[in-house]
């Protein structure tokens, strides 16, 4: 795909133009960050093949190195994953120095290590997660101009602090500039690869034994110290959520047990059917790395200076993201508990089987996780309906409710909203029973009631400047059966949106990118520009005429500015030394009486990623949907500097604008397909139209603006 794009432009003014679509159908370079969630089929293929083939060393080549260095090699920058097995980290560090030494011996200058860019804190990289499976896994970054086009560099191109070509401890042979061609990059990568093979050949027995010892050490560690295990009940707000979590861990090679009888441990009784994830196994650190709370270290660029930004996420605790209650065992498991723990396994589905959906209750299609015998054995409790009547009531706390709603609309049924639940009518008994069975729904039957909800005519804005957030949203919509249309810039500018759509969703992208897109002359003409003033006017008219515009995270600033909403992003413009939080989990209060928060817990966990924080201004009409507590820190996992800028402020707002609504979500509800505990906020918003939207009100007294603060602080 990339080579085709490049070759189509070679010799033209667009030879080095960026590609106007993602190089992976949905998620672009996030395909490298799906290591533990395994949402994409490519991630599952890598995971399965690497476990079956069982390489001892995994080396993945990336581009590009920090300029003007020519290749970046391990050791990684600080910090690294808290529970990375030490023997594996030492092996990776040795490999990095081995590669650098061979590059120097071949006269290839410019190798560097560590720095402040490529840390290994986040375990989700597909080329780093295997380190938690006791494989020496790492990546390298080789310098590249753009595609295969040569480029000549002079010292004037270098950053000022690199122009003196001073030798440094981890950059002892500075590159002096000159021509750089794709052949040069290939030579560096080739020599680095030969160095890895040379190391593996020379130290074969050490590499093999160290892997064994690393696994053995983890078994011994978690036989002697906590946490000893995680107990995960079948009884959850969304009964499929723990299954989604555990299937992924099992697919990554962890063994999972299920209690055959009730047991009591540390004063708590766990019923039969409870899953147990014991940590005294060779991949125990992998389980702990994704299940525990992250505390990102307070690293500063200089004393009292701004914090060093994480290369990726700072906090990802899966039970928090997926809204799964987990009990951590801090005392050794007794013989009675061990006796009740039955190992889970069943016949696996062949990985190449021709099936549309081996397990309809989880959110990946095809064979999915069922090619792993342990993952295939992890299933939710059967779906069930309580009561009697012709109307099926579905709880939005269960994400599969939305799959059922979309199936129901496909089947010609009617849907209503009633008392915080969705009601499905005019559907056959057989189709109703199939949905409850396939999606493991805990549902109820009753009489006809509620506000009618026609199927939304849903549009998802898809800019030519590729958006991974749009791609993740598109993927999630497809997994849950939403009918939607992608809108390009020309579609938006064409106007008359209200005649075609009820709800339009904007991905989380910065205002400048959404407004302006690719600059004139940077790409072929058909891909130039963004929404522009004409597109914004069209969106404003859409809302005034009764449509719903959903603005996820970063796009909220565009909507506030261009639609002149009586809302302010109170952290906009604050310096990193005053307020900073990237990729972290925070706690908010939610107004569960509002249709947009239906199914949410009263205290919810959100994924905050340089997101906006709201307060309302004079003339505001609508409702605050979620808010931070007025005191204390909302941080649950990750990193937060400047908690006072969040205290008492709003995290999500429904703004009435003309006859329509603008929904501002100050968090990433579907970030990389991980925070399933907030998927329903996006899904509810995607269905928020017609009489349901017109009649929506929030709870009296849920929120009031906090006292004014110094607006100039930190600007």
């Amino acid at each position: 795909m990339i080579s085709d794009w490049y070759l189509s432009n070679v010799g033209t003014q667009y030879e080095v133009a960026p590609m106007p679509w993602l190089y992976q159908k949905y998620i672009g370079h996030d395909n490298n960050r799906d290591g533990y969630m395994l949402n994409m089929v490519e991630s599952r293929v890598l995971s399965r093949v690497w476990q079956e083939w069982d390489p001892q060393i995994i080396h993945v080549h990336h581009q590009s190195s920090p300029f003007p260095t020519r290749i970046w090699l391990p050791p990684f920058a600080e910090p690294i994953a808290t529970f990375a097995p030490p023997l594996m980290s030492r092996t990776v560090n040795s490999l990095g120095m081995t590669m650098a030494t061979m590059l120097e011996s071949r006269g290839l200058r410019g190798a560097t290590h560590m720095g402040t860019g490529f840390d290994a804190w986040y375990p989700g990289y597909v080329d780093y997660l295997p380190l938690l499976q006791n494989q020496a896994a790492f990546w390298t970054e080789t310098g590249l101009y753009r595609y295969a086009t040569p480029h000549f560099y002079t010292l004037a191109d270098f950053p000022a602090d690199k122009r003196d070509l001073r030798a440094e401890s981890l950059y002892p042979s500075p590159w002096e500039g000159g021509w750089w061609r794709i052949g040069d990059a290939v030579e560096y990568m080739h020599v680095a690869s030969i160095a890895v093979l040379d190391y593996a050949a020379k130290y074969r027995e050490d590499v093999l034994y160290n892997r064994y010892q690393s696994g053995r050490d983890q078994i011994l560690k978690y036989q002697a110290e906590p946490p000893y295990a995680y107990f995960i009940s079948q009884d959850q707000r969304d009964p499929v959520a723990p299954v989604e979590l555990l299937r992924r861990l099992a697919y990554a090679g962890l063994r999972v047990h299920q209690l055959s009888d009730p047991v009591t441990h540390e004063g708590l009784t766990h019923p039969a059917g409870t899953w147990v994830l014991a940590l005294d196994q060779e991949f125990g650190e992998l389980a702990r790395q994704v299940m525990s709370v992250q505390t990102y270290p307070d690293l500063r660029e200089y004393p009292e200076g701004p914090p060093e930004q994480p290369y990726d996420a700072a906090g990802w605790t899966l039970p928090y993201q997926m809204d799964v209650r987990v009990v951590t065992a801090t005392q050794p498991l007794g013989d009675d508990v061990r006796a009740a723990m039955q190992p889970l396994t069943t016949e696996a589905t062949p990985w190449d089987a021709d099936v549309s959906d081996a397990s309809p209750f989880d959110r990946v299609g095809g064979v999915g996780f069922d090619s792993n015998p342990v993952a295939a054995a992890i299933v939710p409790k059967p779906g069930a309906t309580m009561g009697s009547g012709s109307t099926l009531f579905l709880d939005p706390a269960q994400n599969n409710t939305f799959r059922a709603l979309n199936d129901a609309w496909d089947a010609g049924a009617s849907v209503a909203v009633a008392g915080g639940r969705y009601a499905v009518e005019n559907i056959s008994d057989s189709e109703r029973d199939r949905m409850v069975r396939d999606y493991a729904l805990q549902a109820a039957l009753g009489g006809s009631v509620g506000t009618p909800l026609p199927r939304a005519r849903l549009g998802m804005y898809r800019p030519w400047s590729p958006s991974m957030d749009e791609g993740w949203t598109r993927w999630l919509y497809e997994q849950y059966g939403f009918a939607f249309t992608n809108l390009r810039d020309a579609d938006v500018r064409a106007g008359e949106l209200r005649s075609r759509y009820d709800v339009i969703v904007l991905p989380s992208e910065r205002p400048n990118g959404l407004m302006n897109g690719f600059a004139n002359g940077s790409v072929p003409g058909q891909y130039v520009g963004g929404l522009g003033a004409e597109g914004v006017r069209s969106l404003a008219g859409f809302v005034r005429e009764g449509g719903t515009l959903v603005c996820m995270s970063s796009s909220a600033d565009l909507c506030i500015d261009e639609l002149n909403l009586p809302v302010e992003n109170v952290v906009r413009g604050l310096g990193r030394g005053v307020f900073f939080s990237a990729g972290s989990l925070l706690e908010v209060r939610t107004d569960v009486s509002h249709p947009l928060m239906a199914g949410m817990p009263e205290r919810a966990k959100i994924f905050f990623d340089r997101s906006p924080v709201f307060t309302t201004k004079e003339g505001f009409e609508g409702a605050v949907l979620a808010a931070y507590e007025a005191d204390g820190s909302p941080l649950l996992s990750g990193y937060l500097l400047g908690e006072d800028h969040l205290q008492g402020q709003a995290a999500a707002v429904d703004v009435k604008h003309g006859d329509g609504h603008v929904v501002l979500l100050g968090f990433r509800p579907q970030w990389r397909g991980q925070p399933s505990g907030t998927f329903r906020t996006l899904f509810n918003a995607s269905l928020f139209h017609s009489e349901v939207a017109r009649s929506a009100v929030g709870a009296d007294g849920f929120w009031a603006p906090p006292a004014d603060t110094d607006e100039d602080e930190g600007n």
Side-chain angles (χ1 to χ4, degrees):
M1 180 188 296
I2 294 175
S3 61
D4 288 347
W5 168 257
Y6 174 67
L7 291 172
S8 72
N9 292 316
V10 167
T12 75
Q13 69 183 95
Y14 305 117
E15 180 166 322
V16 295
M19 193 167 64
W21 45 78
L22 297 165
Y23 70 74
Q24 195 272 0
K25 180 179 179 181
Y26 297 106
I27 63 171
H29 194 48
D30 267 358
N31 67 351
N32 184 54
R33 299 159 182 146
D34 190 37
Y36 57 76
M37 281 307 282
L38 303 168
N39 283 317
M40 296 294 123
V41 64
E42 296 94 332
S43 308
R44 297 193 294 277
V45 168
L46 279 178
S47 179
R48 177 181 58 79
V49 170
W50 282 345
Q51 288 185 68
E52 292 181 5
W53 177 42
D54 208 19
Q56 312 307 305
I57 298 173
I58 297 173
H59 174 196
V60 178
H61 290 280
H62 289 242
Q63 296 80 33
S64 179
S65 63
F67 186 74
T69 70
R70 294 297 84 197
I71 187 168
W72 175 90
L73 308 164
F76 294 105
E78 297 293 349
I80 65 169
T82 306
F83 303 111
L87 267 174
M88 294 299 100
S89 292
R90 294 288 190 185
T91 301
V92 168
N93 292 346
S94 297
L95 284 161
M97 292 302 174
T98 298
M99 288 184 282
T101 300
M102 185 172 285
L103 287 162
E104 295 291 355
S105 72
R106 304 288 178 87
L108 300 176
R109 303 172 63 88
T112 192
H113 312 265
M114 294 188 70
T116 59
F118 300 115
D119 68 54
W121 176 256
Y122 176 64
Y125 309 123
V126 295
D127 41 17
Y128 183 69
L129 182 122
L131 188 128
L132 295 161
Q133 298 163 311
N134 304 313
Q135 294 166 314
F138 62 95
W139 72 90
T140 56
E141 302 273 352
T142 304
L144 193 66
Y145 175 55
R146 295 177 189 170
Y147 308 113
T149 296
H151 191 74
F152 188 86
Y153 294 95
T154 70
L155 289 180
D157 299 314
F158 286 23
D161 63 343
K162 296 295 183 183
R163 291 174 188 168
D164 60 358
L165 303 180
R166 178 176 59 85
E168 302 172 19
S169 176
L170 297 177
Y171 184 47
S173 59
W175 187 60
E176 298 176 351
W179 279 107
W180 188 256
R181 300 175 174 87
I182 192 170
D184 299 312
V186 170
E187 184 179 11
Y188 274 67
M189 291 188 286
H190 177 252
V191 171
S193 298
I194 293 297
V196 171
L197 293 172
D198 185 62
Y199 180 97
K202 287 179 178 176
Y203 303 106
R204 174 180 179 275
E205 291 188 4
D206 288 339
V207 170
L208 290 169
Y209 188 82
N210 284 348
R211 186 177 188 211
Y212 156 75
Q213 182 175 335
S214 183
R216 182 201 64 188
D217 289 351
Q218 291 176 59
I219 294 171
L220 295 175
K221 174 181 178 179
Y222 290 113
Q223 287 175 347
E225 63 182 70
Y228 294 93
Y230 299 108
F231 290 94
I232 304 174
S233 172
Q234 288 186 308
D235 183 19
Q236 305 275 347
R237 296 183 70 255
D238 184 349
V240 175
V243 175
E244 294 272 16
L245 190 161
L246 289 170
R247 283 185 143 226
R248 286 163 168 79
L249 298 186
Y251 200 88
L254 284 157
R255 293 182 293 280
V256 181
H257 294 75
Q258 196 163 23
L259 294 179
S260 59
D261 299 291
V263 301
T264 299
H265 184 71
E266 297 183 83
L268 293 176
T269 298
H270 303 283
T274 297
W275 293 287
V276 183
L277 178 61
L279 269 71
D280 58 342
Q281 49 183 302
E282 60 274 18
F283 298 168
E285 299 290 26
L286 169 58
R288 191 173 182 188
Q289 189 69 54
V290 298
M291 297 289 284
S292 64
V293 169
Q294 286 74 54
T295 303
Y296 189 83
D298 190 20
L299 304 175
R300 302 284 176 148
E301 293 180 4
Y302 50 85
E304 305 303 320
E308 290 185 4
Q309 299 183 36
Y311 181 55
D312 204 272
W316 53 84
T317 309
L318 287 187
Y320 287 174
Q321 287 204 76
M322 303 179 79
D323 195 20
V324 174
R325 287 184 296 103
V326 174
V327 175
T328 302
T330 62
Q331 296 295 322
L333 303 181
D335 291 341
D336 59 329
V337 177
R338 294 281 183 182
M341 289 168 50
Q342 301 301 307
L344 287 176
T345 187
T346 191
E347 183 177 354
T349 302
W351 65 267
D352 57 351
D354 184 15
V355 295
S356 61
D357 196 346
S359 291
F361 53 78
D362 73 16
R363 63 174 171 269
V364 296
V367 174
F369 300 111
D370 284 61
S371 62
N372 179 287
V374 178
I378 301 170
V379 297
K381 59 184 181 182
T385 53
M386 303 292 290
S388 62
S390 60
T391 301
L392 179 68
F393 289 91
L394 300 174
D395 183 356
Q398 302 172 61
N399 283 332
N400 278 347
T401 282
F402 297 93
R403 298 177 75 178
L405 291 178
N406 288 312
D407 282 2
W409 276 311
D410 287 342
S414 55
V415 175
V417 173
R421 296 183 297 175
Y422 290 97
V424 179
E425 299 179 292
N426 303 318
I427 191 168
S428 68
D429 291 349
S430 60
E431 179 64 7
R432 179 194 67 198
D433 294 344
R434 181 202 63 79
M435 294 191 307
V436 170
R437 179 184 65 251
D438 283 358
Y439 302 143
L441 293 167
Q442 307 305 309
L445 295 174
S448 177
V449 66
T451 304
L453 179 65
R455 190 172 207 168
R457 297 172 298 168
L458 177 62
M460 178 73 206
Y461 174 59
R462 187 175 183 180
W464 284 117
S465 178
S467 166
M468 290 186 287
D469 194 71
E470 179 277 328
W472 277 113
T473 309
R474 179 163 32 96
W475 174 80
L476 197 63
Y477 278 155
E478 290 181 8
Q479 306 317 301
Y480 284 88
F482 280 84
F484 68 98
T485 301
N486 272 133
L487 284 81
R488 294 292 191 178
D489 296 320
D491 300 321
V492 178
R493 296 190 201 116
E496 298 186 1
L497 291 172
R498 189 66 188 95
S499 66
R500 295 180 283 148
Y501 299 101
D502 299 305
V503 179
I504 293 175
V505 179
L506 298 182
S508 179
E509 298 294 342
R510 299 296 177 189
N512 181 60
L514 293 171
M515 278 293 287
N516 301 317
F518 287 126
N520 191 32
S522 66
V523 292
Q526 64 266 40
Y527 307 118
V528 168
L531 289 169
E534 188 177 2
V536 166
R537 284 195 298 271
S538 183
L539 288 173
F542 164 76
V543 177
R544 286 195 303 271
E545 294 167 12
T548 297
L549 180 63
V550 181
C551 306
M552 291 194 290
S553 200
S554 295
S555 66
D557 283 336
L558 174 79
C559 299
I560 292 170
D561 292 347
E562 300 299 331
L563 275 64
N564 296 311
L565 301 180
V567 176
E568 179 186 358
N569 175 5
V570 299
V571 298
R572 193 175 187 180
L574 295 182
R576 280 195 297 122
V578 176
F579 176 80
F580 181 73
S581 185
S584 296
L585 294 165
L586 309 182
E587 184 178 65
V588 295
R589 299 183 299 113
T590 64
D591 181 359
V592 297
S593 69
H594 197 286
L596 286 164
M597 291 291 116
M600 291 294 288
E602 292 185 354
R603 291 190 175 275
K605 303 165 183 68
I606 61 171
F607 190 84
F608 187 99
D609 188 26
R610 298 178 177 88
S611 299
V613 180
F614 308 115
T615 193
T616 60
K617 298 162 67 174
E618 185 177 353
F620 172 81
E621 293 183 46
V624 167
L625 309 169
Y628 299 98
E629 285 287 6
D631 50 30
S633 174
L635 179 65
L636 297 173
S637 184
Y639 184 85
L640 172 62
L641 174 67
E643 63 194 40
D644 53 310
H645 294 284
L646 296 174
Q647 291 168 347
Q649 306 290 4
V653 184
D654 170 27
V655 187
K656 290 185 178 179
H657 188 69
D659 291 335
H661 294 255
V662 181
V663 179
L664 305 177
L665 298 178
F667 51 93
R668 303 280 297 277
Q670 75 328 357
W671 176 77
R672 294 181 185 166
Q674 295 190 24
S676 54
T678 54
F679 285 177
R680 65 186 66 89
T681 62
L682 171 61
F683 295 161
N684 286 330
S686 302
L687 305 179
F688 190 64
H689 72 108
S690 300
E691 185 58 32
V692 170
R694 286 191 291 270
S695 61
V697 293
D700 288 340
F702 173 75
W703 180 85
D708 289 340
T709 56
D710 183 2
E711 295 181 358
D712 294 328
E713 181 182 359
N715 287 347

